[in-house]
Amino acid sequence: MGHIIVTGAGSGLGRALTIGLVERGHQVSMMGRRYQRLQEQEQRLGSAVIGIVADLAHHEEVDVAFAAAVEWGGLPDMVIHCAGVGEFGPVGVYTAEQIRRVVESNLISTILVAQQTVRLVGDKGGVLANVLSSAAQVGKANESLYCASKWGMRGFLESLRTELKGSPLRLVNLYPSGVRSEFWDNSDHVDPSGFMTPEDAAAYMLDALEARSSCHVTDLFIGRNP
């Protein structure tokens, strides 16, 4: 049984990852911004989880959240960063607040969570897994702001991977293509009904994150069925 931190754990893919980890025998520190969602998970999963409310785009809140997780479960064996938001529409419609929200929630949170993970377990080892998106690979109409944040995440994480060469900390980047969840509720440019389910995507990811004796996954690309 290991201790794993999952961000964005209150809904969608983060929620599915948390449930899957508990089913596999792990303890999970769940981080998210919505207390009620985390509380629902605590009620469902019991003593195997703890909910920690935090906005991970703020340095102080990351420090406090990780300290609470370590106090509860010890140093994490794995951190899965799944938190993020999207704003959609053609270039020219985004407000300053929308731009700030997406960049902070996606890119800045990735940087802060990664820095904290490296400080805590960089010498000990473990796994830092980040959920990106196919939007980090190709530009998409009406998703320019979201793509910009995800391409920024990819650039940061690929640079971090170079820095971590030879380190016991393993970096894994996860690229799902369209997960069916409330993430798309504020969008009208796609129909998410045919997207992959959070449960299916989570199962692929958790299988991939289990290292073998002589090899491990570095990047996982998950495409949805037609």
Side-chain angles (χ1 to χ4, degrees):
M1 179 184 292
H3 173 215
I4 298 176
I5 293 173
V6 177
T7 72
S11 63
L13 181 57
R15 177 178 180 273
L17 285 165
T18 298
I19 294 170
L21 287 164
V22 171
E23 290 174 346
R24 294 174 186 228
H26 299 287
Q27 292 182 307
V28 181
S29 291
M30 308 179 299
M31 296 183 184
R33 289 176 295 180
R34 293 178 288 184
Y35 171 73
Q36 183 177 354
R37 292 295 183 87
L38 297 178
Q39 188 178 45
E40 290 170 357
Q41 288 278 72
E42 287 182 326
Q43 291 171 348
R44 173 177 179 171
L45 300 172
S47 61
V49 300
I50 185 173
I52 301 170
V53 177
D55 183 343
L56 299 175
H58 297 282
H59 201 293
E60 330 67 65
E61 295 197 38
V62 174
D63 287 348
V64 171
F66 271 72
V70 171
E71 182 178 2
W72 177 74
L75 289 175
D77 301 289
M78 181 184 301
V79 175
I80 304 178
H81 183 47
C82 191
V85 301
E87 294 284 354
F88 307 102
V91 171
V93 304
Y94 299 121
T95 66
E97 179 56 36
Q98 287 175 312
I99 294 169
R100 185 178 303 108
R101 176 172 178 261
V102 171
V103 172
E104 288 182 350
S105 297
N106 297 349
L107 176 56
I108 293 179
S109 72
T110 297
I111 295 170
L112 295 179
V113 167
Q115 287 193 149
Q116 190 71 14
T117 303
V118 170
R119 290 192 195 105
L120 282 176
V121 298
D123 294 331
K124 166 183 172 285
V127 178
L128 170 60
N130 288 272
V131 178
L132 289 94
S133 165
S134 58
Q137 301 170 272
V138 61
K140 301 184 179 186
N142 296 299
E143 297 185 23
S144 57
L145 178 54
Y146 182 64
C147 287
S149 68
K150 291 294 181 176
W151 281 57
M153 288 171 61
R154 183 180 178 184
F156 169 78
L157 292 168
E158 290 299 335
S159 297
L160 177 60
R161 174 172 284 156
T162 301
E163 292 183 18
L164 292 175
K165 188 174 182 179
S167 164
L169 180 62
R170 179 160 59 93
L171 182 64
V172 181
N173 292 335
L174 306 165
Y175 297 87
S177 178
V179 177
R180 192 188 315 163
S181 73
E182 65 183 49
F183 176 84
W184 300 102
D185 286 354
N186 67 338
S187 167
D188 59 7
H189 75 288
V190 296
D191 176 9
S193 61
F195 288 1
M196 68 186 78
T197 67
E199 293 75 20
D200 284 348
Y204 266 118
M205 292 178 182
L206 295 180
D207 286 344
L209 289 172
E210 294 180 1
R212 304 301 185 260
S213 60
S214 63
C215 59
H216 66 271
V217 168
T218 58
D219 299 88
L220 178 67
F221 303 92
I222 308 174
R224 59 182 185 268
N225 294 332

